[in-house]
Amino acid sequence: MRYGPDRKAQSRAKILHAAAQELRAKGPDRLGVADVMRRSGLTHGGFYAHFASKDALVAEALETMFAEAAAGSGRLDAALAAPQADVRPAFRGFLAAYLSAAHRDGPQLGCPLPALAGDVPRADDAARGQFAWGLARTGQRIAATLRRIGHRDPEASARAVTAQIVGAVALARALGPGAESDAILNDALEALLERFAL
């Protein structure tokens, strides 16, 4: 039985969503095509109707991951889109959500940067390119926010903020839930709130 293009697009979207979750949780080396297909509710044999290889899946799943993470920044994006809006409350909310125990404990749903920073150097060029693109988009969103609040040199500061929040989450995840892990997240948040008078 042949299915229409809508059905194929829906199946592909399911596969990419499942792969994005698996990639965050396991990294590219431990991501299994059979697991992704099972999680998608599809058969393993149908994989090659959508992707030429596992590497192609990883690269496209990275794009999906960044799109899903951007959807979680809707409040900040909405504030940036309104020229007269005060972006400080939305930026404070973005930082608090990023540097939260919930983000630390939910890598399968969070930002791909802390989840994959250690794995991407071993990935192929397409995956590294998608990661670099997602990193740049995150930095651009932060730089736009800093520009709006009148911070000098917003691009350099955005790189520093991105490194700080990604590093804090990665370290907190490495330690797992607990007092020291919580302190890393809380101290990073407090330092940023104080630095930008949020």
Side-chain angles (χ1 to χ4, degrees):
M1 172 184 243
R2 297 184 71 85
Y3 295 106
D6 287 349
R7 170 97 178 221
K8 186 170 182 178
Q10 290 170 357
S11 295
R12 185 181 182 84
K14 280 185 187 178
I15 295 167
L16 287 170
H17 178 69
Q21 290 184 322
E22 289 281 311
L23 200 52
R24 283 185 188 97
K26 297 178 179 178
D29 293 340
R30 293 179 43 218
L31 180 130
V33 168
D35 292 338
V36 169
M37 296 304 284
R38 187 172 30 259
R39 189 177 192 135
S40 304
L42 302 167
T43 62
H44 185 190
F47 174 78
Y48 292 101
H50 299 280
F51 303 96
S53 66
K54 178 183 165 182
D55 287 341
L57 171 66
V58 168
E60 288 197 47
L62 271 164
E63 184 177 358
T64 298
M65 291 167 73
F66 282 108
E68 291 174 352
S73 302
R75 187 170 164 225
L76 181 57
D77 290 340
L80 287 169
Q84 303 305 317
D86 179 4
V87 297
R88 290 174 192 270
F91 189 40
R92 184 172 50 245
F94 167 80
L95 292 172
Y98 202 101
L99 293 166
S100 68
H103 187 206
R104 174 197 63 204
D105 299 340
Q108 72 279 10
L109 300 173
C111 177
L113 295 173
L116 297 176
D119 294 315
V120 167
R122 294 184 299 277
D124 70 358
D125 288 345
R128 284 197 308 273
Q130 285 294 345
F131 188 86
W133 173 81
L135 175 61
R137 275 190 68 192
T138 302
Q140 288 163 2
R141 180 180 288 114
I142 294 171
T145 304
L146 296 178
R147 194 173 298 111
R148 280 279 289 279
I149 65 176
H151 188 72
R152 62 178 176 78
D153 202 358
E155 284 77 17
S157 292
R159 285 189 292 273
V161 169
T162 303
Q164 188 170 357
I165 63 177
V166 170
V169 172
L171 291 173
R173 283 181 181 164
L175 292 177
E180 187 62 27
S181 177
D182 290 344
I184 289 171
L185 296 173
N186 293 335
D187 292 347
L189 178 60
E190 289 303 317
L192 289 167
L193 296 180
E194 182 177 345
R195 178 178 179 191
F196 299 112
L198 300 172

